[in-house]
Amino acid sequence: MMGGINIADTMSPRDVYAMEEWATQYGVQKMDGVELYSEDGSDYQLISQTQIPAGSPVVFVPAGMCFSSNAVVDELGADLQQAEQVLIQIDQGTKQRLPLFRLMVKILAEYDKGQESPFYPWLNSLPRQFYNGVSMTNACFDCLPPYAGWLASNERINYGHFAAALRMGYVPLNPNTLNDDEIIKWAYNVALTRFKEVWEPTRQKLIAPMADMLNHSAEPNCEITFDYEGNCNVNTIYDVQPGTPLTISLGDPTNPTPIFAQYGFLPNDCATIFCKAMHLDPIIKYLGIDFKDLLIQTQTGEIAPKVWDIFLYEILQNNDQEAADAFYVACKTNDENAKQGYHDQYFQYTLDALKQHVYKIMADVENLTMKAQSYDLQTHPRVPVIVAHNTLVRDTFTMTASLLEQMG
C-alpha cells in the first residue's frame, strides 16, 4: 500500500464524492441535475434528475485532467520505448495494444506518488476488485464455455505480457510496485475498463475522470468524444428523462461475451448471444463470417441464418466436396437462391447437427455451472458473474432446442 490506496483491501470504500469535489475544482463540469448515484455503495454511475434534450452537453473534462496514451510517450520517453520494445519481442501481437500499455504505466506512475499525485482523488475513487478475464483464475476458466473461456484467458495472457515487460526495469517505478502482482493487475484493469479510443487526429486511448462513470447500455443515450485539444465532451444522443442513468456503449450489444471478458459483467439487456460453435472456427474464418452474425436470440431462441450456413458447410465438406465448393461460392457471392437450394436438400442433416450442438452446449453449461457453484465465494468471488453467464446460455439454448424439435 502506498499513499493510503490499499489495493489489497477489496472491501475498502471508494471515495467517489471526494473525487467529485476534486474534479470540479480542476475544471470538470456537469450539467445541473446530473449526479453520481449508487444503489449499493460499490458501483457508481451518473444519472440525470432532470429532463435533458438530445444533443445536450452533460459532462466536460478538460484535457489536463485526461490520461492520454500519446502524452505518456512524451512524458516517459526512452524508458517507455525500451519497455515497449521488450513487450513486442515477447509477442508481436501486443504492438496493437501499446496505447493500453501506456495507460497502465501512467496509472502505476501516479499510484507510486501516493497522495502527492495530482490524480490521487481519482485513483482513490476506483474499484479495488474486478470480475473480468484478467482477474479470473484457472478454476474460473474451467467453469466457462469455450468461447467465453477463450476471450477471458486471452485478456489474462495479454496482462502477463505487460507485466513481464514492466519487470525488465526500464520504466522507473517503485520496486515494491513492480513486484506486487495485484497492484499491476489493478492498474491494467483500470486502463482496460475505463479507456475510450479515438482515431483522429491520431490513434490513442484516453481516460477522462468523471466521464468514466457512465455505465453500459445496449441502447446508450450518450456518447463520449474528444476534440483536437484533448478535451472530453459527453453529449446526449436521445432525450433523457428524469431519474435515467446516463449510458454509453462498451461493446457490440449483439454479443455480450466480449463485454463479459473485458469488463466483468453481463449486460442485462442483451438480445442475442454467440452460437458457441467454436469448433467450427476454421469454417467461420474461411467463409469470412463475423461472430456478430452467428447469433441466437435470447428472448426466442431463434437461430441466425449464417449459423445454419456454417453447420451445413461442415456437412458438405465431410460428404460432398463439389457441393461444398459450390456452396462456398454461393456464400461469397450472396447467391441466396443457390444457398437455399442446398439448405432444402440437406435440411434434415443440418437440423440434426444443430440439435447435437445445442444439446451438448446445454449439458456442458449445466456441468460447468454446478462446478462453479461448488466453489467457496470467499476465494472465488467471480462465481456469481460466471453463473449468470452460463445461465443465460442455458436458458437461451433451451428455447433453441424447443424450436429445433418443432422443426422435425
Side-chain angles (χ1 to χ4, degrees):
M1 180 177 74
M2 296 189 63
I5 303 176
N6 187 357
I7 305 305
D9 183 5
T10 58
M11 302 304 294
S12 178
R14 300 172 59 186
D15 199 351
V16 170
Y17 295 105
M19 181 275 293
E20 184 178 31
E21 294 179 6
W22 161 81
T24 302
Q25 180 183 352
Y26 284 92
V28 173
Q29 301 172 31
K30 300 198 312 298
M31 174 182 277
D32 290 343
V34 173
E35 300 176 356
L36 284 165
Y37 172 77
S38 175
E39 292 184 350
D40 57 8
S42 177
D43 182 32
Y44 289 82
Q45 61 183 323
L46 289 172
I47 67 169
S48 173
Q49 299 292 4
T50 61
Q51 183 168 346
I52 305 176
S56 300
V58 289
V59 177
F60 170 81
V61 185
M65 293 283 288
C66 299
F67 283 33
S68 157
S69 59
N70 286 357
V72 178
V73 176
D74 297 333
E75 180 180 340
L76 296 178
D79 294 332
L80 179 66
Q81 186 178 17
Q82 287 179 296
E84 290 181 353
Q85 289 173 349
V86 171
L87 180 59
I88 294 171
Q89 290 173 357
I90 293 173
D91 183 356
Q92 283 287 328
T94 57
K95 188 173 183 178
Q96 296 300 315
R97 305 196 80 177
L98 289 180
L100 181 65
F101 180 72
R102 294 163 186 167
L103 286 181
M104 183 188 77
V105 170
K106 175 63 174 174
I107 291 164
L108 288 169
E110 297 302 327
Y111 171 86
D112 269 357
K113 297 174 186 176
Q115 295 188 30
E116 298 300 315
S117 167
F119 292 96
Y120 173 80
W122 176 68
L123 295 171
N124 200 38
S125 74
L126 297 171
R128 272 55 166 179
Q129 189 169 48
F130 294 83
Y131 298 86
N132 57 1
V134 181
S135 304
M136 290 182 183
T137 64
N138 288 334
C140 294
F141 297 145
D142 288 344
C143 297
L144 290 170
Y147 179 52
W150 172 65
L151 289 172
S153 61
N154 279 348
E155 284 297 348
R156 198 174 73 170
I157 290 169
N158 190 72
Y159 158 73
H161 294 333
F162 279 22
L166 269 184
R167 288 178 175 137
M168 293 301 293
Y170 293 114
V171 179
L173 294 172
N174 188 300
N176 292 331
T177 298
L178 289 174
N179 291 325
D180 192 322
D181 194 57
E182 291 307 311
I183 294 174
I184 298 179
K185 189 180 295 182
W186 171 78
Y188 181 97
N189 273 328
V190 170
L192 181 68
T193 59
R194 306 186 96 78
F195 77 81
K196 172 70 175 177
E197 188 161 40
V198 300
W199 296 88
E200 296 291 342
T202 60
R203 181 195 175 216
Q204 62 173 319
K205 286 181 167 65
L206 302 107
I207 300 176
M210 189 59 71
D212 63 343
M213 301 299 289
L214 276 74
N215 282 347
H216 168 81
S217 173
E219 297 180 356
N221 53 31
C222 293
E223 64 177 354
I224 297 177
T225 59
F226 289 83
D227 61 30
Y228 278 17
E229 286 73 41
N231 301 306
C232 174
N233 299 278
V234 182
N235 293 280
T236 55
I237 53 180
Y238 300 110
D239 293 343
V240 177
Q241 300 304 314
T244 303
L246 301 181
T247 58
I248 56 173
S249 173
L250 295 177
D252 184 354
T254 66
N255 186 6
T257 305
I259 296 175
F260 164 80
Q262 179 175 348
Y263 294 97
F265 71 91
L266 192 69
N268 57 14
D269 56 357
C270 56
T272 53
I273 60 173
F274 175 59
C275 68
K276 312 302 177 187
M278 287 298 292
H279 65 293
L280 298 182
D281 188 51
I283 290 175
I284 295 169
K285 291 177 179 176
Y286 185 64
L287 293 179
I289 299 174
D290 290 329
F291 278 17
K292 65 181 179 63
D293 296 320
L294 299 171
L295 304 173
I296 297 178
Q297 297 286 330
T298 58
Q299 298 300 312
T300 64
E302 185 178 351
I303 301 173
K306 290 188 184 298
V307 178
W308 288 85
D309 288 349
I310 62 173
F311 277 86
L312 172 56
Y313 187 74
E314 182 193 34
I315 293 167
L316 295 176
Q317 264 196 331
N318 293 335
N319 296 279
D320 187 338
Q321 189 58 51
E322 183 177 347
D325 293 340
F327 185 74
Y328 171 82
V329 172
C331 289
K332 301 302 284 186
T333 59
N334 296 317
D335 187 342
E336 296 301 326
N337 288 332
K339 284 173 57 179
Q340 190 59 51
Y342 284 103
H343 276 297
D344 292 343
Q345 183 178 354
Y346 292 93
F347 172 76
Q348 191 61 50
Y349 296 101
T350 312
L351 178 64
D352 291 344
L354 276 166
K355 284 182 180 180
Q356 182 178 4
H357 170 69
V358 166
Y359 283 118
K360 182 180 185 305
I361 293 296
M362 289 169 59
D364 287 348
V365 294
E366 190 68 27
N367 291 331
L368 293 171
T369 300
M370 290 175 61
K371 185 173 185 177
Q373 290 173 330
S374 71
Y375 293 163
D376 184 348
L377 286 177
Q378 295 298 316
T379 54
H380 294 87
R382 293 156 194 91
V383 162
V385 70
I386 291 172
V387 170
H389 175 273
N390 291 357
T391 299
L392 175 64
V393 174
R394 181 202 64 197
D395 292 348
T396 301
F397 275 60
T398 298
M399 288 184 286
T400 301
S402 178
L403 290 178
L404 293 175
E405 291 297 344
Q406 294 173 31
M407 295 179 187

